[in-house]
Amino acid sequence: MAFMRTGMTTLITAIIAAGVAIIFANQPFDALFHQWQFTVAVAIAGLGLFATAAVALRARDGEERFAALAGLGGGLLCAAMVSAAFSVGPPHALGGSPGQISPLRRGGAVAVRFPAVESAGAGVLNAPQAVELLNGAHPPETLVSGQTRSIGQYVLRVSSGPIAFVRATTPDGRPVTVTQPEGATFISPYLLFPYKQGAQQLDYFAVPPLHRTVNVAYFSSYHDAAKGIDIPEPFVLVQIAEENGAELYRGATIGGRPIRKGGVVLTFQLGTYPDVIVTSAPARLALGAGLAMIAVGLIGFIWLNVRAGRTERRRANAK
């Protein structure tokens, strides 16, 4: 009877783990699955499943062994969820500039190639709204904006966001270098606005030769009926400051219209560009194996118990 109770507990816990893993795999960007409390709870549940499965394996009854199989499957699912949480982490942007190849993890064979951009004139950038997924010797796979792709413990979602090409010169027209201390590429003229504050999308760059720092906020449009302001096209709000110093200028500009303030001339070209968000989910192979073990264990447990019940009824009727 004690083994019977252990088997039922193992089965119920494994089924719950299966339900959670399926939801996790189908909704990998849900914030609930990337909280540390969730990871700790799943790890504890997994250890409990392995422990109860070990107890059930010591039983002589076949149904308890089937329960142990289900418990091992549930433990495998819990291990897959915890492994994904530690290996990949919560949703985050995959850093990359136009023309750059960014691996999903350092030294890994899977990477994303970001497309090149070109000027479309009049302060506008033109870029394909797709990236290429590179996976070792496999042919490159094109992922378009709005598409989601799972590979191992990784889930990639491609969307579309703003991009700006910035050209900086001295007041007399000499080009100067633009750097991005917090960007994916340190020396790059492309801003991808990875930070958000309300409706604003933000980025930051420095102009070391002129000792200037610049904060940029991107707006796709702006409308304020009370003030009679209507800007239907994309623009940027620019704040120029001395390096580690006071603000020198704050103002807005559209693509192609230069700002000549604060001892620097800045010209922006604006457009849209694919963003790649990466998050974790239980690997499909582990998910399938764990679910199969639980299904076999559950079916075997029920079948043997039903058969045992029929045998007992026959004996009772024989008496």
Side-chain angles (χ1 to χ4, degrees), residues 17-31 33-34 38 77 81 148-150 152-157 279-284 287-288 291:
V20 172
I22 291 172
I23 297 173
F24 189 174
N26 286 278
Q27 299 182 14
F29 292 93
D30 193 317
F33 299 114
H34 304 287
F38 172 80
L77 294 179
M81 289 187 279
T148 301
R149 174 74 161 84
S150 296
Q153 297 175 319
Y154 294 86
V155 181
L156 288 72
R157 184 172 65 192
T279 192
S280 59
R284 296 289 178 173
L287 181 66
L291 292 176

Side-chain angles (χ1 to χ4, degrees), residues 1-90:
M1 184 64 70
F3 282 128
M4 179 70 176
R5 290 195 296 270
T6 301
M8 286 297 297
T9 301
T10 302
L11 276 172
I12 292 171
T13 308
I15 292 170
I16 293 173
V20 172
I22 291 172
I23 297 173
F24 189 174
N26 286 278
Q27 299 182 14
F29 292 93
D30 193 317
L32 170 65
F33 299 114
H34 304 287
Q35 304 292 329
W36 69 265
Q37 296 93 332
F38 172 80
T39 304
V40 170
V42 169
I44 293 173
L47 292 174
L49 279 168
F50 284 127
T52 55
V55 172
L57 282 172
R58 293 200 298 268
R60 294 183 179 181
D61 295 334
E63 58 265 31
E64 296 305 317
R65 294 184 180 275
F66 276 114
L69 177 63
L72 293 174
L76 176 61
L77 294 179
C78 291
M81 289 187 279
V82 173
S83 174
F86 281 102
S87 300
V88 184

Side-chain angles (χ1 to χ4, degrees), residues 94 100-104 110-114 131-133 156 276:
L94 180 66
Q100 180 180 346
I101 296 176
S102 299
L104 295 188
V110 183
V112 172
R113 177 188 287 132
F114 289 88
V131 298
E132 285 188 326
L133 179 63
L156 288 72
V276 178

Side-chain angles (χ1 to χ4, degrees), residues 93-102 112 114 163 183-185 188 190 192 273-275:
L94 180 66
S97 295
Q100 180 180 346
I101 296 176
S102 299
V112 172
F114 289 88
I163 187 174
T185 305
S188 174
Y190 294 102
L192 295 173
Y273 195 76
D275 290 330

